[in-house]
Amino acid sequence: MSRGVAHAVELALDEDAADVVRGLFGSLEEAGITSLRSGSPHLHPHVSVTVATDADPAQLAEVLSGVASIGLPAITMSSVGIFVAPQVVIYLGVTPTAELATLNERVHERLGASGLDTWALYAPGTWVPHCTLAMRRASLGAAIEALQGAPLPIRAAPVALRVVEVPTGKLRVTIE
């Protein structure tokens, strides 16, 4: 993969949690809203820790090697939310924890020490952990209606830290 392509560092959800999120994708699609799944078929339920600009996936994996060795923090998705800028995003809000913040900080420390740039929205102290459900323009009223009764909270045990291409979601490497 050539430089110049952004790559997300993301927590892949366990299958049980991913299945629940896929069900919510389906609820949005039934309401005529393009979910993350239908808009980008390579994407899968996840929580992005950061997005690195202009970095090769192998380089990211090398720089972040061992970050996940002490274990990945449990995730609880406890709300439905909407970002309105820089673009509309419908998401499941992840309950912040010290362990999740520490992972975000550790990832940014390593990337920064290696001279790799990241998107400002994912910086420690700014990052709002979330699981994206939809990103395309949609009727927010229809989205809210489609997600009423979502089975919250959704507890997840992340199974891997991965590097995926943005915006396609194609898996490039799993970080050891």
Side-chain angles (χ1 to χ4, degrees), residues 92-173:
L92 291 172
V94 174
T95 303
T97 63
E99 296 82 10
L100 201 53
T102 297
L103 174 65
N104 178 262
E105 291 166 0
R106 190 177 311 123
V107 165
H108 279 89
E109 285 171 5
R110 293 245 190 129
L111 295 177
S114 296
L116 297 171
D117 292 326
T118 59
W119 291 3
L121 288 173
Y122 293 86
T126 302
W127 177 52
V128 176
H130 63 281
C131 177
T132 300
L133 297 174
M135 292 179 64
R136 297 197 170 49
R137 286 211 166 271
S139 164
L140 296 180
I144 291 167
E145 190 170 321
L147 296 171
Q148 281 184 350
L152 300 175
I154 302 166
R155 299 194 193 311
V159 295
L161 192 60
R162 297 179 176 161
V163 175
V164 301
E165 186 177 287
V166 174
T168 66
K170 290 181 182 176
L171 175 63
R172 295 300 179 202
V173 66

Side-chain angles (χ1 to χ4, degrees), residues 42-68:
H42 293 286
L43 292 174
H44 52 276
H46 67 277
V47 173
S48 294
V49 178
T50 195
V51 177
T53 58
D54 198 32
D56 182 86
Q59 178 186 19
L60 288 169
E62 181 179 327
V63 168
L64 296 175
S65 178
V67 162

Side-chain angles (χ1 to χ4, degrees), residues 7-40:
H7 290 88
V9 176
E10 65 180 35
L11 292 165
L13 305 182
D14 65 84
E15 273 309 302
D16 288 341
D19 283 345
V20 175
V21 173
R22 286 185 197 105
L24 296 175
F25 288 160
S27 295
L28 289 168
E29 291 160 8
E30 288 172 14
I33 297 167
T34 302
S35 75
L36 191 67
R37 170 180 66 189
S38 60
S40 303

